[in-house]
């Protein structure tokens, strides 16, 4: 029997899988990494509390949108991305001397720490809420 679009149980029947509603689409590791690096980079222009809020918001969004198995990438990568952006900017602005670069690294770490702590707390809260929600949906 030939495979034509009208026959049942053939690849050409035009059957589509049902759309998933109420769930955010999952994002890839490259997009997660870009989001985790872009949020602190944009936050550098504003500084202070806005920097910490943008970092925490970007990391929380990444933690919400990534698959449950990928949460173990987001949790440690968010503070490392913030540290890298802060220290990298300070090193870029530093003079060519060794002592100037050492001071720049220390200054970058001091500026990055509050944002790293807030971001880690926010992403851990999102991971915990996702786990609780998944357990509740499994019971229902």
């Amino acid at each position: 029997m030939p495979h034509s679009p009208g026959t049942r149980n053939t690849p050409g029947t035009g059957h589509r899988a049902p759309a998933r509603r109420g769930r955010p689409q999952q994002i890839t590791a490259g997009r997660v990494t870009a989001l985790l690096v872009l949020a602190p980079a944009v936050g550098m222009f504003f500084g202070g509390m806005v920097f910490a809020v943008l970092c925490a918001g970007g990391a929380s969004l990444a933690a919400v949108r990534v698959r449950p198995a990928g949460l173990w990438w987001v949790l440690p990568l968010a503070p490392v991305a913030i540290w890298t952006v802060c220290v990298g900017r300070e090193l870029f602005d530093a003079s060519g001397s060794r002592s100037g670069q050492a001071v720049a690294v220390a200054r970058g770490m001091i500026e990055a720490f509050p944002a790293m702590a807030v971001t880690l707390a926010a992403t851990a809260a999102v991971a915990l809420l996702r786990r609780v929600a998944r357990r509740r949906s499994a019971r229902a």
Side-chain angles (χ1 to χ4, degrees):
M1 179 179 257
H3 291 299
S4 60
T7 55
R8 294 181 57 105
N9 297 328
T10 61
T13 58
H15 174 72
R16 292 179 42 196
R20 293 183 181 181
R21 298 189 194 276
R23 286 177 135 181
Q25 282 187 331
Q26 309 297 325
I27 57 176
T28 62
R31 289 183 181 171
V32 167
T33 305
L35 180 63
L36 292 177
V37 171
L38 188 63
V42 170
M44 285 288 178
F45 292 109
F46 301 106
M49 194 61 173
V50 175
F51 172 69
V53 168
L54 280 176
C55 292
S60 297
L61 179 64
V64 167
R65 300 284 306 266
V66 76
R67 291 182 182 180
L71 275 174
W72 71 277
W73 280 98
V74 174
L75 287 170
L77 187 62
V80 171
I82 294 168
W83 182 86
T84 303
V85 169
C86 286
V87 172
R89 187 202 72 194
E90 290 293 331
L91 279 175
F92 185 73
D93 292 343
S95 62
S97 68
R98 295 278 183 198
S99 63
Q101 290 178 347
V103 169
V105 168
R107 183 177 295 150
M109 287 194 285
I110 291 168
E111 289 178 3
F113 182 75
M116 289 169 55
V118 168
T119 301
L120 189 59
T123 52
V126 169
L128 183 66
L129 288 174
R130 283 185 67 178
R131 185 175 184 131
V132 168
R134 190 174 63 206
R135 284 190 179 178
R136 283 187 182 173
S137 67
R139 289 181 192 168

